[in-house]
Amino acid sequence: MHIDKHQITQHNEQLEVSHRRRFMRLADELPNAEQVIGRLVDFEVAIPSWALGTGGTRFGRFSGGGEPRNLEEKIADIGVLHALNRSSGAISLHIPWDIPEDYAAIRSLAQQNGLVFDAMNSNTFQDQPGQTLSYKFGSMQHVDKAVRKQAVEHNIEVIKHGIELGSKSLTVWLADGSSFPGQLNFRKAFQNTLESLQEVYEALPGDWKMFVEYKAFEPNFYSTTVGDWGQSLLYSNKLGDKAYTLVDLGHHLPNANIEQIVALLLMEGKLGGFHFNDSKYGDDDLTTGSVKPYQLFLIFNELVEGMDNRGMDHTNDLGWMIDASHNLKDPLEDLLQSVEAILIAYAQALLVDRVALVEAQAANDVVRAQELLQQAFRTDVRPLVAEARLRAGGALNPLQLFRELDVRGQLISERGTKTTATGL
Amino acid sequence: MHIDKHQITQHNEQLEVSHRRRFMRLADELPNAEQVIGRLVDFEVAIPSWALGTGGTRFGRFSGGGEPRNLEEKIADIGVLHALNRSSGAISLHIPWDIPEDYAAIRSLAQQNGLVFDAMNSNTFQDQPGQTLSYKFGSMQHVDKAVRKQAVEHNIEVIKHGIELGSKSLTVWLADGSSFPGQLNFRKAFQNTLESLQEVYEALPGDWKMFVEYKAFEPNFYSTTVGDWGQSLLYSNKLGDKAYTLVDLGHHLPNANIEQIVALLLMEGKLGGFHFNDSKYGDDDLTTGSVKPYQLFLIFNELVEGMDNRGMDHTNDLGWMIDASHNLKDPLEDLLQSVEAILIAYAQALLVDRVALVEAQAANDVVRAQELLQQAFRTDVRPLVAEARLRAGGALNPLQLFRELDVRGQLISERGTKTTATGL
Amino acid sequence: MHIDKHQITQHNEQLEVSHRRRFMRLADELPNAEQVIGRLVDFEVAIPSWALGTGGTRFGRFSGGGEPRNLEEKIADIGVLHALNRSSGAISLHIPWDIPEDYAAIRSLAQQNGLVFDAMNSNTFQDQPGQTLSYKFGSMQHVDKAVRKQAVEHNIEVIKHGIELGSKSLTVWLADGSSFPGQLNFRKAFQNTLESLQEVYEALPGDWKMFVEYKAFEPNFYSTTVGDWGQSLLYSNKLGDKAYTLVDLGHHLPNANIEQIVALLLMEGKLGGFHFNDSKYGDDDLTTGSVKPYQLFLIFNELVEGMDNRGMDHTNDLGWMIDASHNLKDPLEDLLQSVEAILIAYAQALLVDRVALVEAQAANDVVRAQELLQQAFRTDVRPLVAEARLRAGGALNPLQLFRELDVRGQLISERGTKTTATGL
Amino acid sequence: MHIDKHQITQHNEQLEVSHRRRFMRLADELPNAEQVIGRLVDFEVAIPSWALGTGGTRFGRFSGGGEPRNLEEKIADIGVLHALNRSSGAISLHIPWDIPEDYAAIRSLAQQNGLVFDAMNSNTFQDQPGQTLSYKFGSMQHVDKAVRKQAVEHNIEVIKHGIELGSKSLTVWLADGSSFPGQLNFRKAFQNTLESLQEVYEALPGDWKMFVEYKAFEPNFYSTTVGDWGQSLLYSNKLGDKAYTLVDLGHHLPNANIEQIVALLLMEGKLGGFHFNDSKYGDDDLTTGSVKPYQLFLIFNELVEGMDNRGMDHTNDLGWMIDASHNLKDPLEDLLQSVEAILIAYAQALLVDRVALVEAQAANDVVRAQELLQQAFRTDVRPLVAEARLRAGGALNPLQLFRELDVRGQLISERGTKTTATGL
């Protein structure tokens, strides 16, 4: 399955008149439409290799068809997404699910699809067939040094794969924690984990980053050893300059103010990256922007303000990735919706009148501050996002074209209905 | 303080060109702009008399100036709001804070301001000076029948005031509950409360409604005797046809799906009314739409669908009221923002393509269902809301005009800086 | 694997002196020790057939060894538990995981182990191999009548199996709901579900009960169609006298007051049964009493008070079942801990001085009410529970004996290390 | 009002026989009863001066009678508590509510009552009459340097009062934050706050500690500028060695694992003190141990383990204080219950078999670890606590004696029924 430039052009021609009208009307009302479009064109969100198949819960999984059966097909799927929206030009691999057999071939395939290799992900939250020691009671926190060593070595292995592919970062998400009071000594668990992370850190190439991801709960239900941003920051600070905190939107306690966390991590120079998704109850891993679009905007509002304050490059200085579970929707459609929601929130954040906002804050004019944020959020920026896509060579309406071309139908023809993507 | 029609006209003339342009562009894209505008013109949100002064928390209160000192000034304040936005033409009184001394004079004053009297509110959650028995341990749930009787009589008194003013409903919010395990027998508390409500219900005129408001917690911190929609519905069903459940957006446990509750109460014919506000943590009583605007839209989406399904009149068949606490913002500005947010959400809900949504649901096309809702939500409907206001004789930008006319400054001149509104 | 009476006797003889001392000292301080013991002897908690294997999360599963491979071995496992604690004399089956091939043989095997058949559980939250229609988008709520019919027929099939085994109740837990706004019409989902439940209800024998279980979220992450006690009660009331609400402790929003829900359901005559477990974050399905033992006591406090008020039989008039997931602990040890925690909470609730509590409540003596509850809770009732077990023929310390006899080791010898129990 | 030693002796004589029996039986079962008693005798919990009057919510306050009218009477009240339980020998003052007019007289009065002066508390969350600048929009975070300066100077003033009285620590709780998105620049608010705290820190005597208290929400409802332990730790680390984090049990998001936070802060050498209370929903400020006694035990379990690991003195190296709001109970009775609950949890934590627990953790024996913790928690340690009190010269049952002596009645005679304690 491959999307042809011709197909995109044809689609765009059909929609162009109405798009042009809406875009011109919007641009006419905005002071900085071209600047926003430029930023949108540059923006990329990485797609994780495990998000291309149907997800599930502990209660079950309802597979769709045409899921990718190997790394090559995963790359092809992301190639389809990127061809459609021109904003998904990076893939994030998960080891051991995506171990390449032939690096050069994989690199070449990625290049053909316009993709680069984003952060590598290790897995010490599951036992693999043939694995010597079990992670049932944790990996880097484990009371047994041999288990910790196994986890460290796995991470170093992951780095090696990444080096071959041109990745520049390692994301470490640890499920380590406990489900019952008394199970762990919290201090020892922290110190074991720190020591293990340090060993991985030492194996990190000089131009790499390590992202320490935190999560409040699940799969452990009493404590998690990297449980919140405060803990992640402690680890990152103790590890060194190449270590950063990674924020996954679904990994917080109820009602947490994530945008404030983002602002403070940026202040400390320790925000490394993002996992986008949405949720109502826990780590629900729903389509980004499907439940709390205003929160997503508020987060981007802090990102833009905070990155600009530090003179950071919006596109390259943070790792942007979707991390969701596609239980009910077609995974590719879900990803198209997520990328669109991210671009919309980013565009809205770029529209905030920062000079006026600083003035309102300086005057404690809370009413005006709210008006300024909502002025940006209420603006229907979809024509800007579409225009950016058009200029970058993508489709004006990726989802519509995905359906018109019956991409899923073709994938099912190619791969069958009973395939299950490797991974979760 | 009074807003002159002339002032509004002058304001509108200044903004009219840009408004007209934006409105025409939007209307051009919509299939049903005129219908939506008609609905918006008809819509009214009642303002509670206690929302006109600065609110506070148990930690303190930071008063502003120019707060209304009596019922007459409260009516005047709402008159200002209504003159500006033409959607605040109702006042909801709270007894004993707003006992009229001269019914005819108050009715006449309200009429001059274009206001009607919405739901009456009783207060059995505080002890008033000179009150015989205390509500420290509850009112309608109280173990002592004499306290229950006092609470019942107070409610009957409130009804009498309401009859004189032309109100048609009574809202009963009970703080009754317990703060410690063991304090209450839950069953007896329920039964006492039911019995008390029945006595009030019997005193209700034939064309009145009783709204039974629920709240999960605060000011009691272990249990509340009308604690959730299930309990309120139990009471309402046992009381009879004139009893309904009232939903206050801030009165739920974390993560509750309020829009589903709304849909089910409508299905049962037992949804009576709404208290609008917004919140992040508990009953934070923030400006409506300031934290979770998408949730507000989803609620309106259910309201529109559910009311239409039952053939209900959008404007009159449910009681709409703001119930917020203005701790930091100028109360009148806060109310203008809230009404605007409500109208925006209502307009968005009216834009949902219901035929297509039913089709998508019938096909389990989750992706499309989301697109349809977000198509409505992403649309910038502010020009529609402004146009409706313009046609109804209000200001294109009420907040801007409020500031240009320095309404607050004038109120301070009239009333002084140290006034405190009666009430909370 | 089978526990011999001789082994229990030997174990008890070793512990008897110290037990006798502790028991006598405790009984000496209590007014009603013998009455409590009598109640404890009578009490039974059903064990679900799916709780005998290692559980997991969507992130993985770390199996132990010696798990039961079929219904016969599940019965044997519960036989072991029951031999040890004499309080686990019932098994709750799950169809299709436990379809008996030979009813008579299974009945006979259960009888040999001293077990009866508790509530039958249907499964319409997963697709089974060969199943005609998918439950991906719900079962009893489904927009397609054919799917609803399939779900109804499955439930009727489950009833038939139950009749053969002597069960008297059906537990219906529906995962039905939605993960995205717009996916469902809440009202239609409710009505479809009600209609489906009615068809099952009609197939219910006259002496059976139907338990309608509710759950706030998971596996759906936006709405659940039987989402809280209010919804379950609506269904139960519309279904009829044989329909009841079932409360699972983990199925609530954060901070819910479950004991109040229990009290109100008992008041309405609609509490049907319980699923015991414990949790900190969501439906964590941890060992009962491992995280919030005081909450468990408070719930039993309401159960005892409410059942006594209605003249209900503590043992038989409600369905008691454990429903937990044993991800880290040996499932049988976990179940022994859970049953012990339940008996402790029940014993404590039986110790509450009800006359004094009623007096304290009547006097609004909140301090005293708390003292009375905590007097019961602080009492170390473990010797009472042990004594009850001793008199019933069980082991003084079931967990200790389980380990001394190396039950797990024997099960592994018999069944191997790589077995996986059928089910979740 | 003053409790006579004679009255205590008489009370103890009446209860001594039954106490002695229960104590002997318990001590007989424990390996370390005397050691625990020694620890309990040494333990002191400070009482805040503002906890002696009736508390309230924003909805109202239901005063009792006999509340202290000035600092002298507050000291007398705590003197009564300390005479009864011998564990409340410290008072924590709040400025400006408790500004002493005559230091020597106050010191002398405290000494007569056996009290020392614990942490001083500043107040920049309210405006005081005559205050130049308002804290409506924050204090140490304020955009206006003059407001920050005023807040800093107030804190320095508080330190000066404390020096005169012999206090050795300052608790800074800031309500600073925001209620609406956009109101604050989070980074600037943090940096302003840090700069202000640094100025206060510089004024701190060499042997003082500064406690930086955090709180998730309320009275601000969108963000708090010292919002969680991670933020507090950031401030403390940037401030220096004399700065510590203070944990208030009610200041967390739902479901937070407070015991883990405690363990990590101890690990970092940055845990400074505790505010005890209990809660179900938010900062409910209920009686300690009234809702979640097991959580309280788990926290003490970490405290004991962590302090012992660092060689800390249990009594003096952390600041222990109750911080609750007594809305329904007699404040003195409430405090007696709270201190009792704290001592019970502490005693239980001291009973944990640490050697066995370390072994169980090393073996990942989760079942046994739970048994070990619950063995300590299930033990009815009340006789140990009573024995410690007896040896220290207090009453066997402080609450009972409080009522027998009709302390409240006497206080009402002395002070009247309509007094309101200064403070909240």
Side-chain angles (χ1 to χ4, degrees), chain A residues 116-173:
Chain A
V116 297
F117 290 91
D118 203 79
M120 301 295 293
N121 300 270
S122 58
N123 179 340
T124 61
F125 55 88
Q126 291 179 322
D127 287 350
Q128 306 300 330
Q131 183 178 308
T132 314
L133 299 163
S134 172
Y135 296 131
K136 184 168 191 167
F137 298 104
S139 58
M140 291 198 179
Q141 75 170 15
H142 204 283
V143 290
D144 180 352
K145 192 169 173 56
V147 179
R148 303 200 297 269
K149 189 157 180 286
Q150 176 180 287
V152 168
E153 282 168 1
H154 166 69
N155 273 273
I156 293 173
E157 191 68 26
V158 172
I159 293 172
K160 285 182 186 156
H161 290 302
I163 291 171
E164 294 294 335
L165 294 169
S167 171
K168 294 291 178 196
S169 51
L170 172 71
T171 296
V172 182
W173 172 58

Side-chain angles (χ1 to χ4, degrees), chain B residues 58-361:
Chain B
R58 61 177 167 139
F59 296 102
R61 201 169 298 251
F62 298 92
S63 296
E67 299 186 2
R69 291 162 297 185
N70 50 47
L71 181 50
E72 286 76 6
E73 292 184 356
K74 292 176 184 177
I75 291 174
D77 273 13
I78 301 178
V80 166
L81 295 177
H82 190 49
L84 289 168
N85 68 20
R86 306 308 303 167
S87 299
S88 309
I91 179 168
S92 190
L93 299 190
H94 187 289
I95 304 299
W97 302 335
D98 304 311
I99 297 180
E101 291 178 10
D102 178 342
Y103 294 121
I106 289 296
R107 280 198 309 265
S108 163
L109 183 65
Q111 203 173 5
Q112 288 163 36
N113 283 278
L115 310 182
V116 297
F117 290 91
D118 204 79
M120 300 296 292
N121 299 271
S122 58
N123 178 341
T124 62
F125 54 89
Q126 292 179 320
D127 287 350
Q128 305 302 329
Q131 183 178 310
T132 313
L133 299 163
S134 172
Y135 297 131
K136 184 168 191 167
F137 298 104
S139 58
M140 291 195 178
Q141 76 172 12
H142 204 284
V143 290
D144 179 354
K145 192 170 174 57
V147 179
R148 304 201 294 270
K149 190 159 180 284
Q150 177 181 287
V152 167
E153 284 169 0
H154 166 70
N155 274 273
I156 294 173
E157 191 68 27
V158 172
I159 295 172
K160 286 181 185 158
H161 290 303
I163 292 171
E164 294 294 335
L165 294 169
S167 171
K168 293 292 179 196
S169 51
L170 172 71
T171 295
V172 182
W173 173 58
L174 297 175
D176 292 37
S178 66
S179 278
F180 295 97
Q183 181 183 339
L184 278 190
N185 180 298
F186 295 127
R187 188 178 63 251
K188 289 182 191 162
F190 185 97
Q191 289 166 342
N192 284 340
T193 302
L194 177 60
E195 185 187 295
S196 304
L197 286 170
Q198 282 166 333
E199 293 176 26
V200 175
Y201 187 88
E202 281 161 26
L204 214 60
D207 59 345
W208 274 52
K209 293 178 180 175
M210 179 193 276
F211 299 141
V212 182
E213 188 171 356
Y214 62 89
K215 183 171 186 181
F217 60 95
E218 196 213 22
N220 274 295
F221 295 114
Y222 173 61
S223 73
T224 302
T225 300
V226 191
D228 63 11
W229 77 276
Q231 291 173 63
S232 174
L233 183 60
L234 264 187
Y235 287 109
S236 297
N237 279 332
K238 288 173 196 283
L239 286 168
D241 288 350
K242 292 182 291 186
Y244 294 86
T245 292
L246 184 140
V247 177
D248 180 300
L249 300 187
H251 289 191
H252 299 84
L253 291 176
N255 307 336
N257 187 324
I258 302 173
E259 48 270 33
Q260 188 184 15
I261 292 171
V262 165
L264 296 180
L265 286 170
L266 275 169
M267 178 185 81
E268 292 294 295
K270 280 298 194 183
L271 182 65
F274 253 88
H275 280 182
F276 291 107
N277 49 58
D278 211 336
S279 58
K280 186 167 176 65
Y281 303 101
D283 188 29
D284 307 339
D285 274 337
L286 302 178
T287 318
T288 310
S290 63
V291 178
K292 298 175 186 162
Y294 194 51
Q295 184 193 56
L296 186 65
F297 161 74
L298 293 174
I299 290 168
F300 265 101
N301 181 48
E302 295 304 324
L303 287 167
V304 165
E305 197 275 343
M307 290 191 294
D308 286 352
N309 176 264
R310 295 184 72 85
M312 291 167 71
D313 179 303
H314 289 202
T315 311
N316 299 312
D317 286 354
L318 289 182
W320 311 102
M321 193 175 101
I322 290 169
D323 186 9
S325 181
H326 313 303
N327 304 358
L328 297 180
K329 294 175 177 173
D330 180 311
L332 295 177
E333 293 192 351
D334 201 334
L335 289 162
L336 289 172
Q337 287 186 311
S338 286
V339 173
E340 182 79 5
I342 291 166
L343 293 170
I344 286 172
Y346 179 42
Q348 290 165 335
L350 292 168
L351 289 184
V352 172
D353 182 340
R354 306 239 155 250
V355 173
L357 183 60
V358 167
E359 281 173 13
Q361 290 169 343

